[in-house]
DNA sequence: AACGCGTGGAT
DNA sequence: TATCCAAGCGT
């Protein structure tokens, strides 16, 4: 019987005994200085709030799409209190098309909690950050590290992939994060807090722009000489990740409904979701396009009802004056 | 612990 | 065109 992760831990321990780990840190640090992307939430004067907002927006959403929305948010709501005094629906509306709009709802709730429980300042420890809505283990660690300079075990999908290849010799990390992966990540971190922040940022960056999921750019990798996966001859993944269905799903329909609600400035009569406005003699000005897109999905009435029910129970929508709207 | 949750660019 | 996948979270 073999303990999961025992090989990796053994290798990490072996590396720690040599100058190798220090060399690795230096190689990554140098590389990061040279090629790291310039991102606004990495600016030295970016507030903890700005970093928190960026981390939540970046949950499952690519950097390129986050950039303009983050900038708009920072201008509109420069501090947690600015967002907290808005209706939650405004948070969802200005989330735009980043996807997973409940993140916007939770970020609003987090802003309220920051105001009510932390004097309007983003809390600075992993444990207190973890109590905020929408903040899980990764985001709490990332904010504690990148906003407050703490030595945190930051493990996101990029870092997992780099560790899988560099240390474990695997093409891809396991489907779900394990305790042994967290131990491995800890064992690789520099002891010094400041260096650990750089390390975490650089490993994440490597995963994002070089050690990518598909067709990694190993010729650009600063640590390819140490890569267990390359040394093993680039073995293929041992499993095939199962893709998420989209066409015809409730999610697709929910997305179409949310697009209508974001575009609407007053409650939308539920009949409008069921059939074309022209048939009903409604004025659908302003929401005609997203409404047409919704109708084009041509869903079963039962599915539409399920989607609306889901949005209501998630708090992403509410009934008002016989219509549906973003939460007030 | 597996599942549901949006969106759009890249391949 | 279809599939992959992007700084996860909550249940």
């Amino acid at each position: 019987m073999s303990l999961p992760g025992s090989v990796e831990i053994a290798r990490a321990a072996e590396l720690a005994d040599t100058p190798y780990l220090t060399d690795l840190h230096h190689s990554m640090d140098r590389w990061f200085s040279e090629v790291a992307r310039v991102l606004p939430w990495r600016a030295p004067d970016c507030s903890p709030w700005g970093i928190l907002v960026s981390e939540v927006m970046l949950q499952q959403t690519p950097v390129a799409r986050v950039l303009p929305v983050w900038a708009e948010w920072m201008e509109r709501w420069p501090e947690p209190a600015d967002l907290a005094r808005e209706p939650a629906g405004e948070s969802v509306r200005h989330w735009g098309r980043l996807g997973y709009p409940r993140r916007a709802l939770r970020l609003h709730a987090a802003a309220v909690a920051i105001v009510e429980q932390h004097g309007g300042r983003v809390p600075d420890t992993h444990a207190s950050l973890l109590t905020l809505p929408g903040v899980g283990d990764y985001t709490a660690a990332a904010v504690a590290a990148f906003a407050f300079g703490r030595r945190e075990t930051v493990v996101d999908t990029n870092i997992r992939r780099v560790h899988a290849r560099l240390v474990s010799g695997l093409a891809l990390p396991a489907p779900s994060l394990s305790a042994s992966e967290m131990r491995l990540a800890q064992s690789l971190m520099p002891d010094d807090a400041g260096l650990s922040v750089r390390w975490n940022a650089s490993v994440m960056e490597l995963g994002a722009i070089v050690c990518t999921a598909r067709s990694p750019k190993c010729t650009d990798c600063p640590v390819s000489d140490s890569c267990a996966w390359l040394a093993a001859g680039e073995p293929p993944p041992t499993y095939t990740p199962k893709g998420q269905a989209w066409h015809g799903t409730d999610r697709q329909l929910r997305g179409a409904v949310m697009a209508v609600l974001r575009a609407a400035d007053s409650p939308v009569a539920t009949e409008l979701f069921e059939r074309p406005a022209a048939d009903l003699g409604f004025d659908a000005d302003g929401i005609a396009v997203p409404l047409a897109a919704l109708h084009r999905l041509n869903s079963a009435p039962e599915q539409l009802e399920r989607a609306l029910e889901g949005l209501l129970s998630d708090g992403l929508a509410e009934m008002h004056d016989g219509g549906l709207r973003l939460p007030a």
Side-chain angles (χ1 to χ4, degrees):
Chain A
M1 146 171 129
S2 71
L3 298 172
S6 58
V7 173
E8 291 82 356
I9 295 298
R11 179 151 192 260
E14 172 193 338
L15 300 182
D17 261 355
T18 71
Y20 178 89
L21 197 51
T22 302
D23 287 348
L24 206 58
H25 295 154
H26 286 154
S27 298
M28 289 297 294
D29 204 70
R30 189 177 323 118
W31 174 83
F32 189 68
S33 301
E34 290 167 2
V35 311
R37 293 166 294 178
V38 176
L39 300 171
W41 44 86
R42 284 180 179 164
D45 64 340
C46 184
S47 67
W49 169 241
I51 291 172
L52 173 60
V53 171
S54 80
E55 289 298 344
V56 175
M57 287 183 172
L58 288 164
Q59 290 168 4
Q60 302 286 279
T61 301
V63 168
R65 284 172 46 210
V66 166
L67 282 167
V69 180
W70 182 88
E72 192 209 320
W73 270 54
M74 287 302 101
E75 187 165 349
R76 183 181 300 270
W77 301 310
E79 293 178 30
D82 299 318
L83 177 60
R85 58 176 151 262
E86 296 271 5
E90 284 308 287
S91 181
V92 174
R93 191 186 307 280
H94 291 279
W95 195 252
R97 305 188 67 81
L98 289 183
Y100 291 153
R102 44 180 170 200
R103 289 181 294 164
L105 218 48
R106 292 174 181 148
L107 196 43
H108 180 271
V112 170
I114 288 167
V115 168
E116 291 181 351
Q117 301 168 32
H118 301 278
R121 295 193 159 272
V122 175
D124 65 353
T125 67
H126 184 283
S128 56
L129 284 159
L130 202 50
T131 68
L132 299 175
V135 175
D137 192 52
Y138 161 75
T139 303
V143 173
F146 303 138
F148 299 107
R150 295 190 180 277
R151 185 176 185 275
E152 298 285 333
T153 309
V154 180
V155 179
D156 75 327
T157 186
N158 289 310
I159 292 179
R160 293 188 66 213
R161 189 171 52 249
V162 171
H163 290 171
R165 291 182 182 150
L166 185 67
V167 179
S168 309
L170 302 170
L172 294 174
S176 58
L177 176 60
S178 66
S180 67
E181 278 184 78
M182 290 300 285
R183 275 184 260 119
L184 172 61
Q186 275 194 56
S187 72
L188 293 172
M189 266 199 303
D191 293 327
D192 176 76
L195 294 180
S196 76
V197 172
R198 290 274 294 181
W199 167 255
N200 285 328
S202 63
V203 175
M204 200 178 312
E205 186 75 348
L206 187 72
I209 68 180
V210 171
C211 196
T212 49
R214 282 186 297 183
S215 49
K217 303 161 183 62
C218 300
T219 53
D220 295 339
C221 181
V223 294
S224 57
D225 287 352
S226 318
C227 182
W229 181 62
L230 279 184
E234 305 181 39
T238 56
Y239 73 98
T240 55
K242 53 173 185 274
Q244 293 175 335
W246 173 247
H247 291 285
T249 62
D250 289 3
R251 287 163 73 172
Q252 185 184 29
L253 205 52
R254 287 170 55 122
V257 171
M258 290 304 295
V260 172
L261 298 187
R262 284 195 305 267
D265 52 15
S266 58
V268 181
T270 50
E271 301 81 42
L272 284 176
F273 294 116
E274 294 158 10
R275 38 206 185 96
D279 296 1
L280 299 160
F282 273 91
D283 174 21
D285 252 14
I287 60 172
V289 170
L291 209 46
L294 172 57
H295 292 147
R296 214 172 299 124
L297 292 177
N298 199 20
S299 60
E302 174 186 303
Q303 190 184 19
L304 177 61
E305 185 171 352
R306 199 165 55 235
L308 296 183
E309 194 54 49
L311 293 175
L312 288 169
S313 69
D314 283 351
L316 283 166
E318 65 183 21
M319 294 299 301
H320 185 79
D321 286 346
L324 205 65
R325 67 174 185 189
L326 297 178

